[in-house]
Amino acid sequence: MTLETPSLDQLQRRTRWRAAVAALVMLAGFALLLWRLHHLQVAQHERFAALAEANRLALVPIPPQRGEIFDRNGKPLARNEGVYVLEVTPALTPDLDATLNSLAELVAIDADDIRSFRRKVREQRGLGSVPLKWRLTDAEAARIAANGFRLPGVQVAVRSMRHYPYGEVMAHIVGYLGRISERDLQRIEAQDALGRYRGLEVIGKEGVEASHESELVGWPGWEQLEVNAAGRAVRRLTSVPAQPGRDAILTIDVDFQAFVHELLRDKQAAFVALDPRDGAVLAMVSTPAYDPNAFVTGLSNEVWTRLLEDPARPLLHRALRGTYPPGSTFKPFMALLGLEAKARRVTQRFNHQGSFQIGQQVLHDRKSACQSGVDLIRALTYSCNVYFYQLGVDLGIDAIATFMTHFGFGSPTGIDLPNEAAGVLPSREWKRSFFKRRRDQQWFTGETVSVAIGQGYSSYTPLQMANALMILVNGGLGPIPHVVDHFRDRRSGAIIPVPRPPARFVPLDPVNVEAVLTGMREAVRVGTAARAFAGAPYRAGGKTGTAQVVSTQRVHRDADAADEQDHAWFIAFAPAEEPRIVAALIVEHGGYGGAVAAPLMRIIFDRFFGVEPKPEWESAR
């Protein structure tokens, strides 16, 4: 078989065909290239010009200065301080471990700093700079700057840092700042407020810092920068300054607050003082407390765990969230209900001989003043349990629960602080909703007897007790308690008032109110608090209380037989004629209210009214 050799003509035709195909392919390629060039440079000119301009320009947020917090006399409670911060950008650091070791030779970096740094690096996945150590000294900042050439990705920045000058004294009221969490971001997004947090890393977590976040945070500004191909700023083109947050001026007198805090420092206790004329909080103390400055840069796991597991519960704001049986401090309100419901008259006397029988159980009150001839004034003066046992049975739990809601028992007061506890005002309805088993839902007369003397299921906060007393001394008028008096514009100094809800009003017979207040004044003059207030240069009224926290089988112990587990209560007002202060004080596991809480209240009131303290009161500290 032989192969036929193509002719010269055939070879020429093939060559011309291949050349034509190649030309067509080249022509199509050039046409596609020309179309693409036209598309990019003509049809899409505006789009790509904008993208190029965006690559040349950078819009950088300017975080606002947070509003500061002051007491009523202008003393700073939360301030912004410029501090040196050692920052590391992991993405620019070739060997992070080696860099950290080098930095440890230049500045004091402890294990907590390293752990916190690595946690933050993980959280933000190595993008951007991460603070390693706050509050560098001038010498430390200089050493870092001098060695910067061998520490890529390391810089010293000046940042604004929150500082709380009074630490533990104001911790539970002022609160603290913390890093913005995922939950915070979700809440901010729901409020359509993401724009306000551009460039910010922290947010109010507790206290006034949290409840008035929207006033304190301010509005961020921005600056437009021209950047080079490496992303470094070449020059500033334009800027809009940030708008600082507003300063908050509180109703608190921090000197008075600090005095009470020091008085209660070694106790698990809470104190609330209100101005009955407008509901302003004069002091609100919870001990023990914590240092809010430790939260600003982030707590280590060890410190956080230690705070959570501390049996003294320093994180608990006892005045706002601690709930306790009110004990005999509940009796003035029971007495008022008895008069308002016409179940009692002021001069009506009873000869119970200090005993009360319910079923097969006989309850005793062995105080001599409570044996016979007990009227309403004497019952309050000497805290006669039997009088109130019978009153509770005569009134019934439904009437008690309905009346006490008017004084704020069982519901938040509405104070401008977050997460206020509601407490428990027992009632038939409450018991049905609280207990799941039907047999546990029935209300018994014995439970009414317990409620009548502030025991049983009753549980209220010190703030609720002070608030209820304020309504009582005002004859039914109850302004809403508040800790922020007003805001102040940081630039102009203009005063911005705080909108407040209208005061509550409970229609009460002034004659009945005066009878109850007389009983409370007598309790201070000759009754259960007489020893504590002997010789006071001002007239006061008050009511002692011993909240029994042992088993329910012992809730009817004698009122004057306090157990070491019991909480000591005292509520008071002064001056008796025109009160300028109403207050509630509880000492957990303090014992008898008249022996523990009342003397402490005397020291506090003396300080409030500028009375020179007596040496004999030092032992009450």
Side-chain angles (χ1 to χ4, degrees):
M1 181 177 180
T2 59
L3 295 175
E4 184 179 353
T5 302
S7 65
L8 180 61
D9 185 55
Q10 289 175 324
L11 290 174
Q12 289 176 339
R13 284 198 301 270
R14 287 180 184 176
T15 300
R16 286 195 296 269
W17 180 81
R18 289 174 179 170
V21 171
L24 287 173
V25 171
M26 292 178 63
L27 183 63
F30 277 114
L32 182 62
L33 180 61
L34 289 173
W35 175 84
R36 184 62 178 166
L37 288 173
H38 178 273
H39 178 74
L40 294 177
Q41 297 188 16
V42 179
Q44 295 289 315
H45 170 75
E46 293 184 3
R47 175 172 177 264
F48 286 103
L51 289 174
E53 184 69 7
N55 287 333
R56 186 179 70 89
L57 303 177
L59 202 61
V60 179
I62 303 173
Q65 277 282 350
R66 190 174 180 87
E68 298 183 329
I69 302 174
F70 300 86
D71 88 331
R72 68 189 306 150
N73 298 313
K75 294 187 176 181
L77 308 177
R79 304 210 72 166
N80 303 316
E81 292 185 345
V83 297
Y84 288 122
V85 182
L86 174 58
E87 297 182 346
V88 179
T89 305
L92 302 179
T93 306
D95 189 337
L96 184 59
D97 290 334
T99 298
L100 293 176
N101 291 333
S102 298
L103 288 172
E105 297 173 357
L106 300 174
V107 298
I109 302 174
D110 58 29
D112 284 344
D113 293 330
I114 298 295
R115 280 193 290 268
S116 176
F117 170 78
R118 292 191 182 279
R119 174 174 54 80
K120 292 172 183 175
V121 170
R122 290 193 300 270
E123 288 174 354
Q124 65 176 24
R125 301 177 183 177
L127 303 176
S129 63
V130 179
L132 173 59
K133 183 176 177 63
W134 292 74
R135 293 187 181 278
L136 295 179
T137 65
D138 291 341
E140 289 174 330
R143 283 198 295 272
I144 297 296
N147 289 272
F149 68 94
R150 64 183 183 90
L151 297 169
V154 175
Q155 65 176 349
V156 174
V158 177
R159 288 198 181 189
S160 178
M161 184 178 181
R162 203 65 155 176
H163 177 58
Y164 302 101
Y166 287 89
E168 293 183 359
V169 171
M170 293 297 300
H172 288 294
I173 298 176
V174 172
Y176 58 87
L177 301 182
R179 289 178 63 85
I180 298 175
S181 65
E182 286 298 324
R183 179 179 295 182
D184 294 325
L185 279 176
Q186 293 172 3
R187 179 166 47 81
I188 292 169
E189 288 179 354
Q191 297 170 350
D192 195 23
L194 275 178
R196 298 192 69 177
Y197 290 87
R198 301 295 184 193
L200 293 177
E201 297 180 352
V202 294
I203 193 171
K205 295 288 188 178
E206 274 290 351
V208 172
E209 293 275 34
S211 62
H212 294 282
E213 169 73 17
S214 61
E215 297 288 345
L216 293 166
V217 68
W219 289 88
W222 54 268
E223 57 183 1
Q224 191 178 49
L225 305 176
E226 185 177 0
V227 297
N228 59 22
R232 298 184 182 277
V234 176
R235 62 189 175 116
R236 180 186 292 110
L237 300 178
T238 184
S239 66
V240 174
Q243 300 178 32
R246 293 170 172 173
D247 292 338
I249 315 303
L250 306 191
T251 60
I252 303 290
D253 180 336
V254 73
D255 291 335
F256 182 46
Q257 173 91 4
F259 175 85
V260 179
H261 185 272
E262 182 62 27
L263 183 68
L264 304 177
R265 175 181 289 278
D266 61 346
K267 301 174 176 62
Q268 295 174 34
F271 171 80
V272 179
L274 305 176
D275 186 334
R277 296 169 294 186
D278 61 0
V281 178
L282 304 173
M284 181 182 282
V285 175
S286 178
T287 57
Y290 60 89
D291 183 3
N293 291 296
F295 286 79
V296 175
T297 57
L299 292 178
S300 66
N301 288 333
E302 290 78 5
V303 174
W304 178 243
T305 301
R306 195 181 314 131
L307 285 171
L308 286 178
E309 295 179 352
D310 189 332
R313 299 181 297 171
L315 294 175
L316 174 63
H317 189 177
R318 287 170 162 83
L320 187 73
R321 299 169 195 159
T323 57
Y324 311 88
S328 294
T329 60
F330 194 65
K331 290 175 180 175
F333 308 98
M334 283 294 300
L336 181 61
L337 171 56
L339 296 175
E340 290 287 314
K342 301 189 184 310
R344 293 291 185 274
R345 300 187 307 277
V346 175
T347 57
Q348 185 179 4
R349 294 189 175 187
F350 294 87
N351 296 309
H352 294 296
Q353 301 301 318
S355 64
F356 176 82
Q357 184 168 353
I358 177 170
Q360 300 299 314
Q361 186 178 12
V362 179
L363 308 176
H364 297 282
D365 189 338
R366 293 188 173 86
K367 292 189 292 290
S368 60
C370 299
Q371 297 300 306
S372 62
V374 179
D375 59 13
L376 183 139
I377 303 298
R378 175 172 286 199
L380 289 173
T381 303
Y382 299 102
S383 197
C384 299
N385 276 0
V386 172
Y387 181 94
F388 292 97
Y389 291 152
Q390 186 62 58
L391 177 59
V393 172
D394 292 346
L395 292 169
I397 190 60
D398 296 326
I400 294 173
T402 300
F403 183 77
M404 296 306 166
T405 59
H406 300 309
F407 288 84
F409 292 113
S411 60
T413 65
I415 192 172
D416 52 344
L417 288 174
N419 305 317
E420 180 186 1
V424 174
L425 174 60
S427 66
R428 297 181 196 274
E429 181 181 354
W430 170 84
K431 196 176 183 186
R432 281 193 295 267
S433 63
F434 184 79
F435 291 99
K436 302 305 179 185
R437 295 185 303 181
R438 183 176 297 274
R439 65 182 181 184
D440 295 329
Q441 296 175 345
Q442 182 181 354
W443 188 268
F444 298 98
T445 302
E447 294 170 324
T448 304
V449 170
S450 293
V451 170
I453 61 166
Q455 297 291 164
Y457 301 118
S458 302
S459 184
Y460 310 119
T461 67
L463 175 60
Q464 286 175 315
M465 295 307 302
N467 178 66
L469 179 58
M470 175 175 64
I471 297 173
L472 176 60
V473 301
N474 282 341
L477 183 64
I480 306 302
H482 57 276
V483 296
V484 175
D485 185 74
H486 62 272
F487 294 100
R488 182 175 60 211
D489 188 283
R490 289 179 64 83
R491 293 172 298 182
S492 67
I495 301 301
I496 299 97
V498 179
R500 306 201 191 284
R504 306 180 185 90
F505 182 72
V506 185
L508 300 171
D509 187 330
V511 174
N512 295 336
V513 171
E514 179 57 27
V516 173
L517 295 181
T518 297
M520 297 182 73
R521 289 191 288 262
E522 288 296 287
V524 168
R525 189 179 72 86
V526 297
T528 55
R531 183 179 179 187
F533 279 81
Y538 51 85
R539 292 183 65 211
K543 185 70 193 75
T544 56
T546 305
Q548 298 168 5
V549 293
V550 293
S551 65
T552 55
Q553 284 78 13
R554 301 180 61 203
V555 297
H556 299 306
R557 297 196 318 267
D558 292 345
D560 54 352
D563 189 285
E564 63 180 5
Q565 298 184 61
D566 296 341
H567 302 323
W569 274 102
F570 192 62
I571 61 173
F573 59 91
E577 301 78 15
E578 294 184 11
R580 290 164 40 204
I581 181 173
V582 297
L585 169 66
I586 186 170
V587 179
E588 291 184 9
H589 312 299
Y592 183 46
V596 176
L600 290 170
M601 187 73 84
R602 166 68 188 276
I603 296 172
I604 294 170
F605 273 26
D606 281 359
R607 171 64 173 76
F608 181 80
F609 291 111
V611 178
E612 191 69 25
K614 293 184 177 182
E616 58 263 31
W617 290 118
E618 291 299 316
S619 61
R621 288 179 179 268

